[in-house]
């Protein structure tokens, strides 16, 4: 365990504040000998020259207290019992661990086409056998694995790249991946909505029919005691058959002498691939649609399809490809405050050599941007630094590295920020993430160090 | 006429043999061709009464209701109809609506003959080759050129090597090669970057510049030696070299270097090497893409002219903007500015349309017309003979239904050396 | 020779507030200029007033929970495009209007509502909130129709694939081209919007009937003969059915695919398209067309001038390139080869003529003047060959639309037609002319001074404008 004196000479300001904090709290810093526990849960304290929370705050110096794997507090100072495990990161910068919002690292490629909204990338993952080492070393403690293929290949799965087995699975079914950059993909969206509407209609009809029969049965029931006639078994039979292939048992005549059970409607079988669209159309809880676009024009084409659909759920966008024409639709995306994922890359306006900082323009227009790494994973910070040098605000860049990818992957309740109640997934950087030189030196999951670069 | 440029130069056996052959060729051909268009070299005067004459003279006069008199292939009088007396017995051509415009001058034409003759890629420098050998007077290309009002052209070899040979200044007259040739060699065709880089398995710019420089420096040393000998400065008679002999006109500016060159960097090299260091009268053919950025250099050199084309515009990838090549040169201060077709890249008869394109992309109509007449003649260094409607000059002009660079206008009649070589009323071609 | 325009400024034009147009009260339509204008305009305006009250009473059904949207969510898809379009007004005033279908109108206002032309006249009242273009000193033409195109709209179906931000599209608009034929349909040049880009589909059925493929010709004739026999059998069956109600209808199941398209041709429901240049091929086409009585268009027709009467007799339309060059072969003892007068001769003989340049895409390589940007100048070459200015303009507007079968929508400036217009700084057939504004579906799709590709060329008619300041790069390092 590092001791304060070693850092004293290097960071006097830090030490001063830390000592002050320690004095105020009454707990001698570094005096603890055994690991402290709260309600049998371990306490981990991380102290660093700077803590970037991911929610817009930065503390310098910063202290993060993690109890039982969850963040209890973050600030320039903190109270913690003497037995806490204190990790002094020295002049390192601590920020939330990264969330990869779109990867297939380690999975085989294959082509799946058409409307496959019932498939899940989760079913491809064998967590115990999967090597997440590369992601982990680059600072990613969670990754959204996407289903391969085109059109609507299925749901992403969000998993931890390390940590206790019980905490590995974050979301079995995260966003629904939709390839809106191809004609067939856009047609699959239309097919999804058409099918969803038809299936909902099918259920509605079946329910109406069932309710009608229920009402009839009830009427017959009420009529029964007045005229206790011999049972006529042939009468209910047709109604039982009328329930369709699912053969709902509710049409069965109540057995002689038994009290009639309150019947339940069993909906007819529907295409599971249409389920998300059925839910969307009926306003039920539905998955987020993550629609991939390759050039600005794709948005116009997708909009013509979804503009007519009552999308109450989130739609988020993945801006794929090499196009540099996103500025053409920046206001269109901005006015709906869209969440867009994109690679942190400076591109050129098509047919020109004019370089464009799409991320900056989208943020300017009102979008929330989430960065997805491209090329070598370790180059992420340097690439984002380039964007900041050419117009992207620091705040937007930090959000695009932390909370926004977590929102995109649907795990922002647990990851993406250093805030009370969130998981203690942190990374330590050699320097500020936006100075172009930052390297990951240590990765923590739930307060446990899972990777540490050997000096 | 094939004009011997250095009559005092002794001729080698080979050169003499070529000259003999060239002298015989017209005889053979003219025997086979029937009497050609009516001419004025028999002393008769032809009077052209037209609606407008664009003289392109030094005063840039435009004369309405004008008469132009032609005799023995030369212009003898130009003026307003009421001021010019038409001699009795003149043949009068009445075109009261037509515009009479100097014959158009093309600086970059590859359609002398078959395209197979264009690029003889023997060596990386082929100074001995001549486009003269390929001229086909009765080719459809020549006929169409005339129908487009083009009267003079520099026929040049292609740009497959650094030095592809000597060009030929011709008039699109005929019927024989001899009738057509104004000057041969009329230019040295040099190609900088671009096409010659594809020679063999590919060569780079350093090698190409070295190669061109070495050839030209050798020729210059030869010329200088002869000058010293001829002026008596040196008593040592240089050894005759048939290849270098053809280059001598380059150093006396009796012949131009017409250079395939484009892009900023390459044009810089061209101006520096050919114009500034070797002192050649340099015509920048193409000079396209962003070459206009070298305008200050070109202006400073003084003996460099720009005849741009065939590309009319450059879509600047850093600007997402259509730059008119001619317009940008003009805005850069160049006034000796012309335009070419690189026929057959653009058909020769569309030289006037190339000027129209220059205007669409930002140039000025009058300047564009001047660029394909007077400026072209200046670039060929035959301005004293062609390029404008002035007394004493060759009677080379076209009669047009209107503004010659408007594609709606047609050339009604093309007159070369006082002869009507194209008459749309007899057979419309373009 | 060249117009120097008075200083023209675009009027400040706030976006049209919805439902405001109706509140401005009835719009006075001035006395008739074209025959059917006033009535049509009045009817339209009545319709406007009726719909305005009802339109946009509340938010769209999926906008009800829009307020609760967290920052990173998208609650509702943007808008009901159709509603907005109907309330969009655009007025072009002060220009000289070349209607093509009628007279040239000076100093009139063209009022566009939504995607259509709503009124044309002097002193029209411009609805409040309308976008106004001051076209004083400019000439207004209908958008040009390119009867062949490549690379301007996406692969079939273009309305689902077109790149709405392509440089090719905006360049075509700069050349005044607003409608292009692609595949077998006609589409608007879509720039920054893909709304209403389909004009009409399934317009042409391409047929091959050349001299070099006698087997193919025979097969085509056999198919047409079979279909014609079938048609006769059907007619016979219909006659017999009056007496024998049980008579069996001739089998039709085999009429599928190409055969179904051929049947559409035989019924006059579609137009056949042939590619033919030489006299013999053209005469083959004429024979075929006359034999089966179909409607047809010939693309190419380089030697059409030699057989113009035959083409006229068969009522074949032609798509020609006036500058097409085919040197005459002097060994043939007959007229042959191309002729600059081709378009004029065909037009004079009564053959419907549409003009197209040799390159049907937009070229960025630098060689100018032979692509769709210069469609109008290809028509100018038609004038060189003897077409009148009017006929040449028609060959790239109304006659081109006729050859495609979309003349009810585009090709001229008339009330009720699509609001596809060019506001040009000069004669559209003059080489120096640029489009100042190009309007597609009642929307300014190209604004020369705003777009940046030609803004430095004679801005506001200034022939001596300084060279553009070169800025590089321009999108990076912008102060945010």
């Amino acid at each position: 365990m590092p001791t304060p004196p070693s850092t004293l000479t290097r960071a006097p300001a830090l030490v001063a504040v830390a000592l002050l904090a320690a004095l105020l709290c009454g707990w001698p810093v570094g005096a603890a000998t055994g690991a402290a526990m709260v309600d049998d849960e371990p306490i981990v304290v991380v102290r660093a020259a700077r803590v970037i929370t991911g929610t817009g705050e930065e503390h310098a110096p910063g202290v993060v207290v993690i109890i039982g794997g969850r963040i209890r507090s973050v600030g320039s100072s903190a109270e913690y019992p003497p037995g806490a495990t204190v990790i002094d990161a020295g002049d390192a910068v601590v920020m939330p661990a990264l969330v990869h919002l779109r990867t297939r690292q380690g999975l085989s490629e294959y082509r799946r086409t058409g409307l496959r909204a019932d498939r899940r990338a989760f079913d491809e993952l064998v967590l115990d056998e999967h090597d997440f080492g590369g992601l982990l070393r680059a600072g990613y403690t969670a990754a959204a694995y996407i289903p391969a293929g085109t059109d609507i290949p299925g749901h992403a799965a969000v998993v931890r790249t390390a940590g206790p087995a019980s905490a590995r699975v974050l979301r079995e079914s995260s966003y629904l991946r939709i390839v809106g950059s191809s004609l067939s993909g856009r047609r699959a969206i239309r097919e999804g909505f058409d099918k969803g509407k038809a299936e909902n209609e099918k259920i509605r009809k079946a329910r109406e029919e069932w309710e009608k029969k229920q009402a009839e049965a009830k009427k017959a029931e009420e009529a029964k005691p007045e005229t206790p006639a011999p049972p006529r078994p042939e009468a209910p039979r047709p109604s039982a058959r009328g329930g369709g292939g699912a053969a709902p048992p509710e049409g069965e005549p109540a057995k002689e002498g038994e009290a009639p059970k309150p019947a339940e409607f069993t909906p007819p079988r529907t295409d599971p691939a249409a389920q998300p669209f059925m839910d969307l159309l009926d306003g039920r809880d539905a998955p987020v649609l993550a629609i991939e676009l390759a050039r600005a024009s794709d948005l116009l084409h997708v909009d013509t399809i979804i503009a007519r659909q009552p999308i109450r759920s989130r739609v988020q966008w993945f801006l794929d490809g090499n196009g540099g024409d996103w500025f053409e639709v920046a206001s269109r995306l901005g006015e709906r405050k869209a969440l867009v994922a994109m690679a942190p890359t400076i591109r050129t306006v098509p047919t020109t050599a004019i370089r464009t900082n799409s991320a900056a323009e989208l943020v300017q227009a009102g979008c929330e941007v989430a960065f997805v790494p491209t090329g070598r994973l370790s180059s992420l910070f340097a690439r984002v630094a380039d964007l900041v040098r050419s117009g992207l605000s620091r705040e937007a860049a930090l959000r695009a590295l932390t909370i926004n990818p977590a929102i995109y992957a649907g795990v922002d309740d647990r990851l993406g920020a250093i805030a009370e109640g969130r998981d203690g997934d942190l990374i330590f950087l050699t320097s500020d993430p936006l100075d172009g030189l930052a390297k990951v030196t240590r990765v923590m999951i739930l307060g446990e160090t899972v990777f540490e670069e050997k000096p | 006429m094939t004009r011997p440029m250095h009559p005092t130069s002794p001729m080698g056996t080979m050169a003499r043999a070529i000259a003999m052959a060239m002298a015989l060729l017209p005889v053979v051909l003219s025997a086979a061709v029937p009497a050609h268009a009516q001419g004025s070299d028999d002393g008769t005067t032809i009077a052209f009464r037209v609606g407008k004459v664009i003289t392109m003279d030094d005063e840039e006069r435009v004369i309405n209701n004008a008469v132009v008199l032609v005799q023995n292939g030369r212009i003898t009088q130009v003026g307003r109809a009421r001021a010019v007396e038409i001699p009795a017995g003149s043949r009068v051509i009445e075109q009261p609506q037509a515009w009479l415009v100097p014959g158009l001058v093309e600086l970059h034409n590859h359609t002398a003959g078959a395209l197979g003759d264009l690029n003889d890629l023997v060596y990386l420098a082929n100074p001995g080759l001549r486009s003269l050998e390929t001229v086909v007077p009765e080719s459809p290309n020549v006929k169409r050129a005339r129908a487009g009002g083009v009267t003079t052209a520099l026929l040049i070899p292609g740009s497959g090597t650094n030095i592809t040979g000597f060009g030929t200044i011709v008039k699109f007259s005929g019927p024989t090669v001899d009738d057509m040739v104004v000057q041969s060699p009329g230019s040295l065709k040099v190609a900088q970057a671009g096409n010659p880089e594809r020679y063999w398995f590919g060569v780079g710019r350093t090698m190409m510049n070295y190669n061109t420089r070495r050839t030209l420096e050798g020729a210059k040393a030869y010329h200088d030696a002869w000058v010293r000998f001829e002026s008596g400065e040196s008593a040592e008679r240089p050894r005759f070299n048939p290849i270098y002999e053809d280059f001598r006109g380059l150093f006396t500016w009796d012949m131009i270097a017409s250079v395939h060159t484009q892009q900023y960097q390459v044009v810089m090299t061209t101006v520096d090497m050919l114009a500034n260091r070797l002192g050649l009268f340099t015509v920048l053919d193409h000079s396209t893409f962003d070459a206009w950025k070298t305008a200050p250099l070109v202006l400073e050199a003084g003996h460099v002219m720009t005849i741009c084309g065939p590309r009319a515009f450059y879509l600047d990838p850093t600007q997402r903007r259509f730059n008119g090549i001619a317009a940008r040169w003009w805005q850069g201060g160049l006034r000796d500015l012309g335009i070419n077709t690189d026929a057959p890249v653009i058909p020769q008869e569309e030289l006037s349309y190339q000027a129209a394109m220059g205007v669409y992309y930002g140039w000025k109509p009058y300047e564009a017309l001047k660029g394909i007449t007077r400026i072209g003649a200046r670039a060929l260094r035959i301005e004293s003979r062609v390029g404008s409607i002035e007394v004493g000059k060759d009677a080379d002009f076209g009669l047009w239904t209107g503004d010659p660079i408007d594609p709606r206008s047609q050339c009604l009649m093309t007159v070369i050396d006082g002869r009507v070589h194209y008459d749309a009323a007899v057979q419309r071609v373009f | 020779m060249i117009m120097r325009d008075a200083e023209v400024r675009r009027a400040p034009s706030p976006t049209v507030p919805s439902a405001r147009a109706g509140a401005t009260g009835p719009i006075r339509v001035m006395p008739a200029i074209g025959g059917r204008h006033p009535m049509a305009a009045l009817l339209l305006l009545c319709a406007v007033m009726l719909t305005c009250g009802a339109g946009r009473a509340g938010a769209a059904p999926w906008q009800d929970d829009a307020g609760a949207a967290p920052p990173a969510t998208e609650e509702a898809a943007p808008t009901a495009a159709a509603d907005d379009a109907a309330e969009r007004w655009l007025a072009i005033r002060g220009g000289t209007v070349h209607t093509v279908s009628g007279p040239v109108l000076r100093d009139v206002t063209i009022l566009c509502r939504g995607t259509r032309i709503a009124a044309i006249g002097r002193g029209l009242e411009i609805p409040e909130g309308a976008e106004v273009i001051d076209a004083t000193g400019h000439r207004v033409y209908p958008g040009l129709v390119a009867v062949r195109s490549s690379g301007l709209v996406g692969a079939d179906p273009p309305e689902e694939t077109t790149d709405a931000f392509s440089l090719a599209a905006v360049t075509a608009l700069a050349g005044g081209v607003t409608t292009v034929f692609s595949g077998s349909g006609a589409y608007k040049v879509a720039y920054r919007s893909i709304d209403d880009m389909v004009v009409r589909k399934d317009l042409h059925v391409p047929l091959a009937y050349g001299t070099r493929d006698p087997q193919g010709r025979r097969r085509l004739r056999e198919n047409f003969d079979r279909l014609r026999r079938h048609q006769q059998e059907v007619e016979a069956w219909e006659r017999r059915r009056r007496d024998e109600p049980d008579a069996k209808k001739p089998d039709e199941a085999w009429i599928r695919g190409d055969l179904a398209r051929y049947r559409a041709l035989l019924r006059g429901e579609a137009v056949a398209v042939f590619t033919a240049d030489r006299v013999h091929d053209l005469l083959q086409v004429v024979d075929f067309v006359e034999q089966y009585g179909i409607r047809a268009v010939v693309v190419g027709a380089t030697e059409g001038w030699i057989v113009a009467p035959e083409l006229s007799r068969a009522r074949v339309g032609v798509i020609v390139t006036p500058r097409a060059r085919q040197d005459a072969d002097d060994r043939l003892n007959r007229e042959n080869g191309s002729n600059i007068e081709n378009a004029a001769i065909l037009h004079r003989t009564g053959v419907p003529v549409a003009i197209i340049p040799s390159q049907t895409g937009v070229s960025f390589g630098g060689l100018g003047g032979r692509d769709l940007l210069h469609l109008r100048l290809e028509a100018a070459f038609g004038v060189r060959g003897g077409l009148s200015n009017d006929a040449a303009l028609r060959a790239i507007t109304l006659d081109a639309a006729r050859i495609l079968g979309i003349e009810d929508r585009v090709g001229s400036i008339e009330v009720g037609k699509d609001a596809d217009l060019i506001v040009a700084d000069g004669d559209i057939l003059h080489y120096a002319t640029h489009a100042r504004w190009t309007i597609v579906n009642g929307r300014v799709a190209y604004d020369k001074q705003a777009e940046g590709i030609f803004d430095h060329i004679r801005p506001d008619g200034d022939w001596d404008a300084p060279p553009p300041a070169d800025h590089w790069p321009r999108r990076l390092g912008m102060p945010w």
Side-chain angles (χ1 to χ4, degrees), chain C residues 386-401:
Chain C
L387 278 183
S388 67
N389 281 318
D390 285 347
L393 179 57
R394 288 177 77 103
I396 50 175
T397 54
L398 194 54
D399 288 353

Side-chain angles (χ1 to χ4, degrees), chain C residues 360-439:
Chain C
T360 55
V362 174
S363 156
F364 300 119
L367 296 178
R370 42 224 335 113
D371 62 349
L372 272 195
L373 170 61
H374 300 286
L375 171 61
R376 63 201 182 84
L377 294 184
E378 197 64 47
F381 276 101
V383 177
R384 187 194 197 101
L387 278 183
S388 67
N389 281 318
D390 285 347
L393 179 57
R394 288 177 77 103
I396 50 175
T397 54
L398 194 54
D399 288 353
R402 284 217 172 99
I403 275 185
L404 295 179
I406 53 171
E407 71 275 19
D408 56 326
R409 293 276 309 273
V410 301
S412 60
I413 301 180
E414 291 175 74
V415 170
K417 275 199 166 186
D418 289 12
D420 295 353
L421 306 163
I422 311 164
V423 182
D425 63 5
D427 180 352
I428 195 77
L429 296 178
H430 191 274
Y431 55 88
T433 298
H434 275 259
R436 177 64 185 81
W437 292 280
T438 304
I439 290 130

Side-chain angles (χ1 to χ4, degrees), chain A residues 132-362:
Chain A
F132 293 106
L135 285 166
L136 190 66
R137 285 190 292 276
Y140 294 90
T141 63
Y145 273 77
I146 55 162
T150 55
D151 305 340
I152 303 184
H155 294 267
V158 190
V159 295
R160 275 243 166 67
T161 52
S166 59
R168 292 295 289 276
V169 180
L170 290 164
R171 292 199 66 167
E172 288 187 20
S173 276
S174 182
Y175 60 77
L176 179 62
R177 180 180 172 223
I178 296 176
V179 182
S181 53
S182 71
L183 177 62
S184 61
R186 294 192 287 267
R187 292 197 158 163
I189 303 174
R190 187 173 288 145
E191 185 196 343
F193 279 110
D194 288 350
K195 211 170 228 181
K197 194 176 167 193
E199 298 289 57
N200 279 344
E201 195 56 33
K202 193 161 96 185
I203 295 175
R204 215 169 350 259
K205 276 204 180 122
R207 183 183 290 277
E208 271 171 27
E209 205 140 298
W210 175 79
E211 279 167 355
K212 211 167 105 192
K213 295 224 173 77
Q214 283 296 107
E216 278 168 14
K218 204 173 171 192
K219 217 178 266 173
E221 204 68 30
E222 281 163 7
K224 221 190 264 174
E226 287 156 23
T227 50
R232 275 185 279 178
E234 61 277 316
R237 252 179 231 142
S239 73
R241 227 174 276 129
E250 74 276 4
E252 295 288 336
K255 282 199 182 114
E256 208 74 32
E258 280 179 36
K261 273 190 253 167
E264 249 181 54
F265 170 66
T266 307
R269 192 175 300 145
T270 53
D271 183 352
Q275 194 61 46
F277 297 94
M278 294 163 62
D279 295 342
L280 278 169
L281 287 161
D282 272 3
R284 288 187 293 270
D285 190 25
V288 169
L289 308 184
I291 305 180
E292 294 174 24
L293 309 173
R295 54 181 187 182
S297 216
D298 294 336
L299 178 65
L300 271 52
H301 291 293
V302 170
D303 271 352
T304 61
I305 296 165
I306 65 169
R308 298 187 199 94
Q309 303 301 341
I311 295 179
R312 293 195 173 83
S313 165
R314 284 206 314 231
V315 174
Q316 57 196 24
W317 307 91
F318 181 81
L319 309 186
D320 201 359
N322 296 317
D325 59 352
W326 299 117
F327 63 90
E328 300 275 19
V329 289
S331 60
R332 204 181 173 100
L333 287 165
E335 68 197 23
R336 50 185 110 160
K337 297 189 169 12
L339 174 60
V340 298
M342 63 195 305
T345 309
I346 286 170
R347 303 208 184 278
T348 53
V349 174
T351 65
T352 74
I354 300 166
R355 292 182 298 159
T356 163
N357 187 345
S358 301
E361 298 200 33
L362 288 164

Side-chain angles (χ1 to χ4, degrees), chain A residues 183 186-187 190 295-297 300-301 303-317 325 327-329 332 335-339 346 349-357 360-361 364 366 368 389-393 404 407, chain C residues 60-65 69-81 153-168 190-197 201 364 451 471-480:
Chain A
L183 177 62
R186 294 192 287 267
R187 292 197 158 163
R190 187 173 288 145
R295 54 181 187 182
S297 216
L300 271 52
H301 291 293
D303 271 352
T304 61
I305 296 165
I306 65 169
R308 298 187 199 94
Q309 303 301 341
I311 295 179
R312 293 195 173 83
S313 165
R314 284 206 314 231
V315 174
Q316 57 196 24
W317 307 91
D325 59 352
F327 63 90
E328 300 275 19
V329 289
R332 204 181 173 100
E335 68 197 23
R336 50 185 110 160
K337 297 189 169 12
L339 174 60
I346 286 170
V349 174
T351 65
T352 74
I354 300 166
R355 292 182 298 159
T356 163
N357 187 345
E361 298 200 33
Q364 185 75 3
E368 286 293 330
R389 270 197 292 276
S390 54
L392 181 65
S393 73
N404 286 348
I407 296 173
Chain C
W62 57 88
Q63 287 175 332
D64 46 7
D65 52 356
T73 64
E74 185 201 351
E75 273 310 310
T79 50
V153 295
D156 211 35
E159 68 276 20
E160 293 186 48
T161 61
T162 296
D163 181 358
F165 302 103
S166 81
L167 184 60
Y191 189 59
R192 301 222 157 104
S193 164
I194 51 168
D195 296 341
D196 307 301
M197 71 174 284
K201 296 198 174 205
F364 300 119
E451 193 53 56
H471 41 77
W472 180 86
R474 69 172 169 191
R475 296 202 73 86
L476 257 188
M478 281 165 69
W480 301 102

Side-chain angles (χ1 to χ4, degrees), chain B residues 80-284:
Chain B
R80 291 190 71 96
R82 60 171 178 271
V84 177
E85 197 185 319
I86 299 173
S90 299
R91 183 180 160 216
V92 180
I93 292 177
E94 287 273 2
Q95 287 285 0
Q97 301 298 319
W99 294 26
L100 189 149
V101 177
L104 310 186
V105 181
E106 169 68 59
L107 263 287
H108 199 124
N109 178 311
H110 298 298
T111 60
L115 282 177
D117 298 331
L118 195 60
N119 279 316
D120 278 323
L121 309 174
V122 187
Y123 306 109
L124 192 48
N126 304 280
L129 307 187
R130 296 173 174 194
S131 65
L132 178 69
E133 267 88 2
T134 68
V135 178
V136 180
E138 284 297 300
S139 91
N141 293 326
V142 171
K143 291 179 184 168
R144 292 184 73 89
R146 284 199 287 258
V150 185
T151 56
T152 305
L154 177 62
L155 305 180
I156 51 176
S159 48
T161 61
N162 293 143
I163 294 176
T164 31
F166 290 101
T168 313
I169 303 173
V170 300
K171 290 194 182 183
F172 284 127
S173 51
T176 68
V177 172
D178 194 53
D179 291 331
M180 289 172 73
V181 173
V182 175
Q183 183 182 326
S184 178
S187 79
L188 178 72
K189 171 68 191 279
V190 178
Q192 293 274 82
N195 293 349
E197 287 174 51
R198 283 178 236 139
Y199 178 77
W200 206 31
F201 291 111
V203 284
R205 289 182 192 173
T206 49
M207 168 61 190
M208 293 194 305
N209 284 330
Y210 159 75
N211 186 47
T212 307
R213 205 165 51 231
R214 196 184 60 163
T215 308
L216 287 168
E217 277 168 356
K220 187 164 195 310
Y222 175 84
H223 170 72
D224 290 346
W226 272 101
V227 168
R228 278 195 300 278
F229 171 70
E230 282 158 4
S231 67
E233 193 187 315
S234 162
E236 191 190 344
R237 185 190 174 87
R239 189 188 152 94
F240 179 76
N241 180 325
I243 302 287
Y244 282 161
E245 187 61 29
D246 274 349
F247 279 76
R248 291 199 57 190
L250 268 184
F251 304 105
T252 57
W253 288 9
D254 288 307
M255 189 202 330
I256 63 168
S258 70
V259 192
H260 162 106
T261 184
Q262 49 196 346
Q263 298 170 348
Y264 180 63
Q265 185 261 335
V266 179
V267 174
M268 268 197 315
T269 312
T270 304
V271 172
D272 181 62
M273 179 170 79
L274 298 180
N276 294 347
R277 291 182 193 279
L278 287 159
L280 309 185
F281 190 93
T282 307
V283 175
L284 308 174

Side-chain angles (χ1 to χ4, degrees), chain B residues 18 21 81 108-109 131 172 177 186 193-194 202 204 220 223 264 296 315 319 322 325 345 349 368 378 394 404 413 430:
Chain B
I18 292 170
H108 199 124
N109 178 311
S131 65
F172 284 127
V177 172
K220 187 164 195 310
H223 170 72
Y264 180 63
L315 177 64
Q319 310 281 329
F322 289 87
I325 306 269
V345 175
E349 63 272 23
R378 187 175 300 163
D394 293 1
M413 192 177 273
F430 182 55

